[in-house]
Amino acid sequence: MVFSSINFIFTFLPIFLIAYYFTPAKFKNAVLLTGSIVFYALGDKYYTFLLIGSLLVNYLLGRAIGDNSQYPSKRKMWFVIAMIFNFGMLVFFKYTNFLIENINILLNTFSIGSLPKVNIVSPLGISFYVFQIVSYIADVYMGKQKAVYNIVNLGTYLCMFPRITMGPIIQYSEQAMELRTKKISILSLEDGLKTFIIGLGSKVLLANPMGTLWAGMSRYGYESISSPYAWLGAFAYSFQIYFDFAGYSLMAMGLGKMIGFTIPQNFNHPYISGSISEFWRRWHMTLGRWFKNYLYFPLGGSRCSKAKMIRNTFIVWAFTGLWHGASWNFVLW
C-alpha cells in the first residue's frame, strides 16, 4: 500500500488516526506498532513474519550487548552475531540472484557448469529497516545508546508505517523522547495534513504524469522516437524521480506530525545544488548520513592519508550503489 492510494487515504489512515487519537497516551505506541504491522501486511503479507522476527531477534541481541557492557569479548561476540544476522538477511533476500549470476559467469568461463537460479522476491522495505536496526545495534555496542528493554518502543521505532517502506533512516536516539512522550494537538494534525497534501500533490500531479511520458518512450521503443521526444523523455524521467522522492518524503513528514513524531527532512531541493558533493548532501540525506557514520568514519574517514581517504570513499560509494540495486550498473554509477 502506498501513501497516494485511495485505500490508504480514505480507509487505512482515517481508521488508524481515530483509534490512535482516542487511545490513552501510554498505549499509543502499542496502537502505532499494531497499525504499522497491519500496514506492512497489506503491502507484503508473507514477509510480515520476517519483519516481526527481525524485531524479536534484534531486541534480544540489543539486550545481550547492553547486559554485557562490562565484558568486552562477549559484547563483541553478540555484536558480530547481530551484524551477521541483519546483513545476512539483507544479502540473502536482495542479492542472492545477483551473486548466483556472477558465480555462473565465472563457472561458465571455465566450462564448469552453473548454479540454478532461485526465485527470491525482496521483502518490502528491507533495505530501510535493516539499516535502521543496524544503526541501533551499532550505537548500543559503541555506548552511544542504551539497550531498549521495552519491546513495544523498539518495535514502534523499527516498524513505524510512515517510513518503513522508503525511509528516512533514523537513529533511535532521535526519537527516544517522542517514543516516551508525544505532543499531539489539532494544530499538529492540521500542520501534518498540509505537509502530507503538498507531498501528495508532488507525487500524483507531477511525478505520475511525468512517469507516464517516460513509460510511453519505453513502450514505443527508443529507435522509433524523435530526438526532441527523447530529450523530453529524459527531462521527464529526471523530474519524475525528483517529485516522486520529494513527494514521498513530504508525505512521511506530514504523517509523522499527525502522530506526534518528528521525521527529519530527507530531500532538500538537490537540483539547485552548486556542486556534486552538495547534491549528495541534499539527496536522500539520511542514507548519506548512515554511510558516513557507520561505514566512512569507522574506515578512517578523511583523517588519514590521501590514498586511504580515496579508498574509503570508493568503498562507501560501491556499497551505496549496491544498496540502490543488485546490479553492477549501480556500482559503476
Side-chain angles (χ1 to χ4, degrees):
M1 188 190 307
V2 294
F3 296 159
S4 58
S5 68
I6 297 297
N7 287 337
F8 177 81
I9 296 172
F10 293 106
T11 304
F12 176 86
L13 187 59
I15 293 173
F16 169 78
L17 288 177
I18 290 170
Y20 186 76
Y21 272 69
F22 282 95
T23 298
K26 64 179 180 180
F27 299 118
K28 285 190 185 298
N29 284 349
V31 172
L32 178 53
L33 175 58
T34 303
S36 297
I37 291 175
V38 170
F39 171 85
Y40 190 90
L42 291 172
D44 200 344
K45 58 183 178 180
Y46 295 111
Y47 283 130
T48 305
F49 296 105
L50 180 70
L51 175 64
I52 296 172
S54 175
L55 167 62
L56 294 174
V57 171
N58 281 288
Y59 169 74
L60 295 174
L61 289 170
R63 288 190 57 170
I65 294 169
D67 292 341
N68 287 281
S69 58
Q70 304 301 318
Y71 306 97
S73 59
K74 289 185 179 180
R75 201 164 111 261
K76 185 175 182 179
M77 177 191 73
W78 288 115
F79 174 72
V80 171
I81 291 173
M83 294 301 102
I84 292 173
F85 171 78
N86 286 295
F87 286 117
M89 181 172 65
L90 181 63
V91 168
F92 176 78
F93 284 103
K94 192 171 180 179
Y95 302 102
T96 295
N97 290 326
F98 176 67
L99 291 172
I100 289 176
E101 287 175 6
N102 285 276
I103 291 172
N104 283 341
I105 290 173
L106 290 174
L107 294 176
N108 291 332
T109 301
F110 297 100
S111 301
I112 297 177
S114 61
L115 298 175
K117 292 184 178 180
V118 292
N119 185 22
I120 298 177
V121 179
S122 181
L124 182 67
I126 190 170
S127 297
F128 291 95
Y129 72 72
V130 165
F131 270 36
Q132 187 147 280
I133 201 64
V134 163
S135 73
Y136 161 74
I137 293 291
D139 286 349
V140 172
Y141 175 72
M142 292 184 291
K144 296 180 180 179
Q145 166 70 47
K146 291 184 178 180
V148 178
Y149 288 82
N150 186 325
I151 192 171
V152 174
N153 285 2
L154 185 65
T156 303
Y157 158 74
L158 178 65
C159 305
M160 192 182 300
F161 75 86
R163 53 179 171 72
I164 189 170
T165 55
M166 291 185 66
I169 301 168
I170 302 176
Q171 294 171 301
Y172 186 89
S173 58
E174 294 179 276
Q175 294 193 322
M177 183 62 70
E178 293 172 336
L179 285 166
R180 292 192 294 269
T181 57
K182 301 171 189 63
K183 295 181 180 179
I184 302 174
S185 66
I186 295 298
L187 290 177
S188 65
L189 175 63
E190 180 186 13
D191 192 24
L193 281 170
K194 288 178 181 177
T195 304
F196 180 85
I197 289 170
I198 293 171
L200 181 66
S202 297
K203 166 67 176 170
V204 175
L205 302 179
L206 296 173
N208 287 356
M210 291 177 182
T212 301
L213 178 59
W214 173 254
M217 286 183 55
S218 303
R219 184 169 60 251
Y220 297 138
Y222 304 118
E223 69 282 350
S224 61
I225 61 175
S226 64
S227 294
Y229 187 37
W231 278 108
L232 183 63
F235 280 112
Y237 179 74
S238 298
F239 284 101
Q240 177 207 353
I241 61 174
Y242 180 97
F243 287 113
D244 189 90
F245 196 9
Y248 184 90
S249 298
L250 286 171
M251 286 190 282
M253 292 171 67
L255 290 168
K257 292 178 183 179
M258 293 182 210
I259 59 178
F261 286 88
T262 302
I263 294 180
Q265 187 178 23
N266 201 28
F267 193 84
N268 185 22
H269 308 293
Y271 284 1
I272 67 170
S273 301
S275 66
I276 292 296
S277 58
E278 183 185 355
F279 178 87
W280 287 113
R281 287 195 298 269
R282 290 172 173 269
W283 185 291
H284 213 323
M285 298 158 68
T286 58
L287 177 67
R289 183 184 63 176
W290 192 97
F291 275 110
K292 180 178 69 175
N293 292 337
Y294 300 104
L295 186 58
Y296 186 68
F297 286 164
L299 287 171
S302 58
R303 295 185 177 182
C304 53
S305 66
K306 188 173 182 180
K308 289 184 178 180
M309 185 269 287
I310 293 172
R311 178 205 64 185
N312 298 342
T313 303
F314 268 94
I315 290 172
V316 167
W317 278 101
F319 279 104
T320 302
L322 280 175
W323 184 89
H324 279 86
S327 168
W328 287 114
N329 288 346
F330 285 102
V331 178
L332 292 172
W333 158 81

